[in-house]
Amino acid sequence: MKTSQSLGILALFAQVRTSSTSARSTEVIQTQNALTVSSNVGSPDDSSKNALVNAPGCSGLLSSNNKRIQSSGGTEFAVTCNSDLPEEMGKIWSGNSVSLADCIERCENTTSCTAATFKEQARTNSTNCLLQAVLIGRAINPAPRNGSSLAYKTADTKCSALLAQGGRVQLPERRDYTLQCKTDVIPETALRSTYMGSMNECLIACDTEEGCAAISYRELDQRCTLASADKAVRFVSSNATDVAYLTALDITKPLEKEVTGSWGRTIDFPVIPVAVALLPNSQKLLAWSADYEDDYTITYNNTEQIHSFRRDGHLYTTCHGREGSQYSSLSFLRLLLGATISVLGNMFCPGITLDAMGRMIVSGGSTDKPVSVYDADIGNWTAASPMHIGRGYQSSVLTSNGDVFVLGGSWSGPNVTKYGEIYDTRADTWTELPGCPTAPMQTQDKKGIYRSDNHAWLFGWKDGSIFQAGPSKAMNWFYANGSGSYSPAGLRGDAEDSMCGNAVMYDVGKILTAGGSPSYDNTVGHYAAHLVSLPSAANGSVDVSRAPDMVYPRVQANSVVLPTGEVFVTGGQAFSDIFTDYQAIYYSEMFDPRTKSFRLLDAMQPIPRTYHSVAILLPDGTVFTGGGGLCGPCRWNHLDGSIYEPPYLFKGNEYAKRPFITRTGTDESTTALSFTAGAEVTITVSPPVYSQAGHTFAIVRAGSATHSTDTDQRRVPLRPISQAPNGSDVQYTVQLPSDYGTLPAGWYMLFALDDDVPSLATWIRVALP
Ligand SMILES: *[C@@H]1O[C@H](CO)[C@@H](O)[C@H](O)[C@H]1NC(C)=O
Ligand SMILES: *[C@@H]1O[C@H](CO)[C@@H](O)[C@H](O)[C@H]1NC(C)=O
Ligand SMILES: *[C@@H]1O[C@H](CO)[C@@H](O)[C@H](O)[C@H]1NC(C)=O
Ligand SMILES: *[C@@H]1O[C@H](CO)[C@@H](O)[C@H](O)[C@H]1NC(C)=O
Ligand SMILES: *[C@@H]1O[C@H](CO)[C@@H](O)[C@H](O)[C@H]1NC(C)=O
Ligand SMILES: *[C@@H]1O[C@H](CO)[C@@H](O)[C@H](O)[C@H]1NC(C)=O
Ligand SMILES: *[C@@H]1O[C@H](CO)[C@@H](O)[C@H](O)[C@H]1NC(C)=O
Ligand SMILES: *[C@@H]1O[C@H](CO)[C@@H](O)[C@H](O)[C@H]1NC(C)=O
Ligand SMILES: *[C@@H]1O[C@H](CO)[C@@H](O)[C@H](O)[C@H]1NC(C)=O
Ligand SMILES: *[C@@H]1O[C@H](CO)[C@@H](O)[C@H](O)[C@H]1NC(C)=O
Ligand SMILES: [Cu+2]
């Protein structure tokens, strides 16, 4: 029975191939349920012959060569019968519908909806219509499901748009395909042709078919041609089709690391690195994860259960380092501390700030008032004075005075207004700031205050001021003197609330904001990015402009400023499904401060990094990303991290020659150098022969990251004011900015840049006077 059905379909395809495409439009019919169904063939499906019973709303479409319908509102949907998507993926609504057509119309009427599933066999079920927000053109990967019809908006990212995004078609957990528009495979290599609702489905068909290495896809009628891996595969130009071929085929010049960067190996961690910070004046990264109200076990491999996390009242800290200055070799130096939570508090989902001495001040979290300090000199955590107001998911930032300002954090602690507090790190005292309320900085979150005052984008600025750039669409200045005060700084352009988005100061007073979503959970990620320029004085007017969108929408992503001023945007998901990896974005992108736009980095991330993941710049110019999950006994826990080597480290596929800082300052005996704001710093660079136009320099403040928030990182470019030969080296003099708003105290990585190739960093400390 199946065979005859298949033959019928093949015959049908043959007919279409010979018919002209213009004939198709004449066959558009108006159905009773107000859907326009484009279909070449009217022969109804004989359901009894098929093991899967096609839902009536779908059957006519299934047997046609064109599985597209147009809703009454004119939106085009592709239909896959007997299919669905994981129910929780991007779910925005479910309820009862009378028909597939009705369900589709609801999707059209619902903001962010891109896919509608109608469960024919559960017609009376109150949840037979499911609306989802899925990233079209990438994540549609339906599973067979008897009696369900899946309809989704057809990709508006057609070939040329995909090409602009880097020319790869990304299908998670499948092989990687390179895209070439307006091209067809030659007939000799075609294995077979079929009809698929989207290029992605065509690729999936190829991916699961032995011998298939390339497809050509014709948008016009959804013809999908599978082609063989024959090395002789040659493509011909074509107006109507686009091809995608296994990247490994190497048909065109492969993309080089100089363009894509490169992901290194993945390193196992004894904890989920949900919070990380650089240890000052070292090559070490501290990662921690505290006891959470979950019982779960993790296996590294099938034979052994290595880590078993239970509510044992302990905080787990792990310290990873690199040996010597070899950035390609990462050693796994593990230091596991079992500090008791009863003493220190449970630092899960806290605020983090590196202070002027480089000590890490970790406030609140699962236990809401305790404050812990990690001092690298001691190599352990100590307890500090608790906050007055219990908080979790608040943000925390260092002011120009060297104090730590915290704001918000209703996720944890008592149900009170979480106005600001300021911490004097030397006196170990907290002062309440009722004049710094959260009302002006709240988002309009679906879950209310519990979420709306979370993860503020805080920046210490001049004269003790604190600038709050988001995630609310409103921006504000806060002042921590007296009992506190604030003044509105206007809207962030046309931005929406952008919870769990990113904000990075990539140059003096210049902030890139990107991504986020209107609510913390269950909302679509934004593509939008904005550029926020701070005034040269506190409380001046703030300039905002809209940057071109990111390539992907992202929420729960991380952004890291590089020594060049580029911002590496990595991970996240298209829809905020916290505690899942649904719709994870596997490709990173780079913001270029010169063109003020993003470019896709065509190197696929080895592990999805979504909620509870982190990213941080390392002193060798690479980026660490890790973590994600902490969702209890679930499949999204990632006890690992990876290192990304950005394009600037490569020339072609080889490592670029890096400049080398031989000495910072003039006193050779000084290892840990300390400067005050405005100081002149001499930097000796060797050898100078690589330099085309002389070196430039940048300092990047040591970062700390959790929950897509890093209020510590900041880049300050330094241009030489003089230079002189020093033996075979060149000694440059730079001047640090003269105020602690531009240059908050603490530890900075100093990079020399030779045509944008960074040196390994040397550390300098900016000390308060
Ligand atoms: C699909 O559902 C129909 C009707 O309930 C049933 O007859 C058929 O066996 C089912 N097929 C599969 C593969 O489950
Ligand atoms: C969709 O919106 C239109 C226009 O507001 C309305 O007439 C129609 O009833 C809505 N359909 C559904 C299924 O909600
Ligand atoms: C209704 O649909 C939901 C979700 O698919 C399912 O869990 C439930 O069992 C269904 N109920 C009935 C009565 O079919
Ligand atoms: C593509 O379209 C252009 C413009 O309509 C036409 O001149 C050209 O011949 C077409 N090429 C092919 C291969 O069909
Ligand atoms: C599993 O992990 C243990 C501990 O790291 C190791 O000794 C063992 O060889 C691993 N087994 C496999 C099959 O990888
Ligand atoms: C670290 O500090 C905690 C609590 O202060 C203490 O229990 C633990 O023994 C210390 N660990 C080390 C290695 O010093
Ligand atoms: C917190 O306060 C708000 C406003 O009074 C109230 O609506 C809410 O129920 C309170 N929540 C809890 C957990 O007490
Ligand atoms: C706080 O500082 C601001 C800005 O310098 C100033 O305008 C304000 O008067 C100060 N407030 C108090 C209470 O000192
Ligand atoms: C900041 O500027 C606004 C408007 O220019 C003014 O109303 C407010 O008082 C100023 N606040 C401080 C602390 O200077
Ligand atoms: C190089 O610079 C160092 C530090 O400023 C200085 O002591 C030394 O004399 C210089 N050497 C030469 C050859 O200029
Ligand atoms: Cu969290």
Side-chain angles (χ1 to χ4, degrees):
M1 292 303 208
K2 269 199 143 173
T3 311
S4 71
Q5 169 94 1
S6 307
L7 284 175
I9 290 171
L10 276 181
L12 186 67
F13 291 160
Q15 180 211 324
V16 173
R17 278 173 130 173
T18 52
S19 71
S20 84
T21 46
S22 62
R24 181 179 147 264
S25 57
T26 63
E27 287 160 2
V28 168
I29 53 164
Q30 195 73 27
T31 63
Q32 284 169 329
N33 53 25
L35 285 174
T36 307
V37 179
S38 18
S39 165
N40 277 4
V41 182
S43 88
D45 190 40
D46 184 351
S47 305
S48 63
K49 290 180 184 170
N50 205 345
L52 294 170
V53 176
N54 298 319
C58 223
S59 56
L61 293 162
L62 185 74
S63 60
S64 83
N65 51 61
N66 186 338
K67 298 187 279 179
R68 296 228 171 163
I69 55 182
Q70 212 165 55
S71 70
S72 54
T75 310
E76 195 182 43
F77 284 80
V79 176
T80 311
C81 302
N82 290 317
S83 302
D84 68 5
L85 296 168
E87 184 150 321
E88 61 273 48
M89 174 169 152
K91 180 175 175 176
I92 47 180
W93 184 84
S94 71
N96 185 259
S97 268
V98 294
S99 64
L100 172 61
D102 183 64
C103 184
I104 288 173
E105 198 175 298
R106 280 172 197 275
C107 181
E108 185 170 44
N109 283 2
T110 305
T111 309
S112 312
C113 179
T114 52
T117 303
F118 182 67
K119 296 165 197 162
E120 188 70 35
Q121 285 167 351
R123 219 172 240 286
T124 56
N125 196 325
S126 59
T127 58
N128 68 356
C129 170
L130 170 67
L131 304 186
Q132 289 165 291
V134 291
L135 188 57
I136 300 297
R138 197 185 65 84
I140 293 284
N141 188 356
R145 185 81 60 223
N146 198 8
S148 282
S149 310
L150 172 68
Y152 54 92
K153 286 185 186 166
T154 50
D156 44 14
T157 48
K158 296 268 163 54
C159 192
S160 54
L162 288 167
L163 200 63
Q165 294 175 9
R168 293 276 182 90
V169 184
Q170 178 201 356
L171 294 167
E173 295 164 42
R174 293 187 183 276
R175 295 182 295 178
D176 195 34
Y177 292 83
T178 299
L179 194 64
Q180 205 163 297
C181 303
K182 293 195 185 295
T183 311
D184 205 351
V185 297
I186 57 171
E188 289 81 351
T189 62
L191 299 170
R192 65 188 177 94
S193 281
T194 178
Y195 290 82
M196 296 278 176
S198 69
M199 182 185 252
N200 277 5
E201 287 168 79
C202 184
L203 277 173
I204 290 164
C206 180
D207 214 64
T208 51
E209 177 144 329
E210 187 145 357
C212 182
I215 57 131
S216 81
Y217 189 74
R218 192 161 65 193
E219 282 286 345
L220 202 62
D221 61 356
Q222 295 85 49
R223 191 199 64 186
C224 163
T225 300
L226 308 187
S228 80
D230 188 340
K231 272 288 179 194
V233 168
R234 286 291 173 268
F235 300 141
V236 290
S237 88
S238 151
N239 278 353
T241 55
D242 306 311
V243 301
Y245 55 90
L246 275 183
T247 298
L249 276 185
D250 196 13
I251 283 168
T252 57
K253 190 168 173 278
L255 292 166
E256 295 184 311
K257 291 179 179 173
E258 181 180 354
V259 175
T260 64
S262 173
W263 287 96
R265 72 190 168 94
T266 298
I267 311 138
D268 286 341
F269 270 61
V271 298
I272 292 174
V274 62
V276 291
L278 270 187
L279 293 185
N281 202 23
S282 81
Q283 304 274 329
K284 288 182 187 165
L285 181 68
L286 187 85
W288 72 96
S289 181
D291 172 28
Y292 188 50
E293 295 196 4
D294 284 345
D295 276 5
Y296 63 95
T297 55
I298 302 294
T299 44
Y300 269 40
N301 57 37
N302 294 328
T303 54
E304 261 177 271
Q305 258 190 7
I306 298 172
H307 292 286
S308 175
F309 284 70
R310 302 213 168 256
R311 303 189 61 185
D312 61 359
H314 281 74
L315 162 77
Y316 293 90
T317 311
T318 176
C319 188
H320 289 66
R322 288 176 163 226
E323 262 166 6
S325 58
Q326 283 299 314
Y327 62 83
S328 53
S329 82
L330 186 129
S331 65
F332 185 17
L333 311 175
R334 186 192 295 183
L335 171 67
L336 244 182
L337 303 177
T340 52
I341 281 166
S342 56
V343 178
L344 291 169
N346 183 337
M347 295 172 238
F348 182 62
C349 306
I352 312 172
T353 290
L354 292 162
D355 77 1
M357 302 301 292
R359 300 179 315 154
M360 205 180 333
I361 315 293
V362 180
S363 56
S366 285
T367 47
D368 57 318
K369 283 185 182 166
V371 176
S372 311
V373 176
Y374 188 89
D375 189 331
D377 291 341
I378 299 169
N380 198 359
W381 298 91
T382 53
S385 292
M387 293 182 290
H388 295 285
I389 300 169
R391 312 164 190 270
Y393 285 173
Q394 80 280 13
S395 278
S396 145
V397 73
L398 198 74
T399 70
S400 65
N401 306 324
D403 299 329
V404 177
F405 175 78
V406 297
L407 183 68
S410 291
W411 174 79
S412 183
N415 195 357
V416 296
T417 304
K418 307 285 168 96
Y419 53 70
E421 289 186 63
I422 190 90
Y423 179 61
D424 181 330
T425 61
R426 279 175 267 213
D428 186 26
T429 52
W430 288 91
T431 304
E432 293 179 65
L433 303 170
C436 296
T438 58
M441 54 71 75
Q442 288 175 21
T443 62
Q444 302 298 310
D445 200 285
K446 287 188 289 195
K447 293 205 172 138
I449 185 67
Y450 173 71
R451 292 302 197 189
S452 61
D453 68 354
N454 294 183
H455 309 315
W457 300 348
L458 301 181
F459 295 88
W461 197 237
K462 309 207 175 171
D463 303 323
S465 65
I466 298 111
F467 180 69
Q468 174 255 322
S472 58
K473 54 190 176 188
M475 307 184 295
N476 296 282
W477 292 101
F478 289 92
Y479 307 93
N481 50 348
S483 57
S485 60
Y486 81 97
S487 57
L491 296 176
R492 196 171 61 262
D494 61 359
E496 295 178 56
D497 285 343
S498 302
M499 183 54 74
C500 298
N502 300 148
V504 182
M505 194 179 282
Y506 63 92
D507 201 334
V508 173
K510 298 199 182 314
I511 299 168
L512 168 71
T513 68
S517 60
S519 282
Y520 205 107
D521 194 10
N522 270 295
T523 49
V524 286
H526 297 313
Y527 286 92
H530 290 82
L531 300 168
V532 180
S533 289
L534 300 190
S536 56
N539 200 26
S541 77
V542 175
D543 185 57
V544 180
S545 63
R546 173 113 187 216
D549 284 353
M550 289 189 289
V551 175
Y552 285 112
R554 293 175 198 263
V555 52
Q556 319 296 355
N558 286 285
S559 291
V560 174
V561 66
L562 305 180
T564 48
E566 292 166 296
V567 181
F568 177 64
V569 184
T570 188
Q573 51 193 165
F575 183 91
S576 187
D577 263 350
I578 58 173
F579 299 121
T580 77
D581 283 340
Y582 286 130
Q583 306 190 61
I585 309 294
Y586 283 72
Y587 286 98
S588 309
E589 43 197 293
M590 194 75 90
F591 171 77
D592 183 335
R594 292 167 191 151
T595 61
K596 309 264 189 292
S597 62
F598 297 87
R599 131 181 114 78
L600 191 76
L601 294 163
D602 204 353
M604 188 166 170
Q605 193 162 322
I607 309 274
R609 300 292 176 198
T610 60
Y611 189 49
H612 284 158
S613 70
V614 294
I616 192 167
L617 179 70
L618 298 180
D620 61 6
T622 65
V623 177
F624 171 87
T625 82
L630 271 169
C631 42
C634 64
R635 62 195 173 103
W636 315 113
N637 288 313
H638 299 296
L639 285 97
D640 50 41
S642 309
I643 304 278
Y644 176 73
E645 297 176 325
Y648 58 37
L649 292 182
F650 298 97
K651 198 113 196 130
N653 279 319
E654 305 301 320
Y655 285 115
K657 276 188 178 170
R658 306 177 77 164
F660 191 74
I661 298 177
T662 51
R663 191 168 53 238
T664 310
T666 49
D667 180 359
E668 295 190 48
S669 64
T670 308
T671 48
L673 288 161
S674 198
F675 300 92
T676 49
E680 289 189 359
V681 181
T682 60
I683 308 162
T684 310
V685 180
S686 158
V689 288
Y690 303 138
S691 183
Q692 308 286 313
H695 290 97
T696 58
F697 300 89
I699 51 176
V700 182
R701 197 165 180 277
S704 67
T706 190
H707 291 81
S708 303
T709 306
D710 180 346
T711 57
D712 278 312
Q713 69 171 332
R714 163 179 310 211
R715 169 182 168 272
V716 177
L718 300 169
R719 284 173 193 91
I721 49 176
S722 69
Q723 69 180 73
N726 187 280
S728 59
D729 302 341
V730 180
Q731 187 173 288
Y732 295 87
T733 303
V734 297
Q735 185 169 19
L736 299 178
S738 57
D739 74 279
Y740 291 95
T742 305
L743 191 71
W747 284 92
Y748 285 77
M749 293 171 274
L750 165 67
F751 293 93
L753 293 153
D754 181 7
D755 273 350
D756 280 352
V757 180
S759 65
L760 300 174
T762 57
W763 286 93
I764 65 166
R765 189 166 82 86
V766 172
L768 290 167

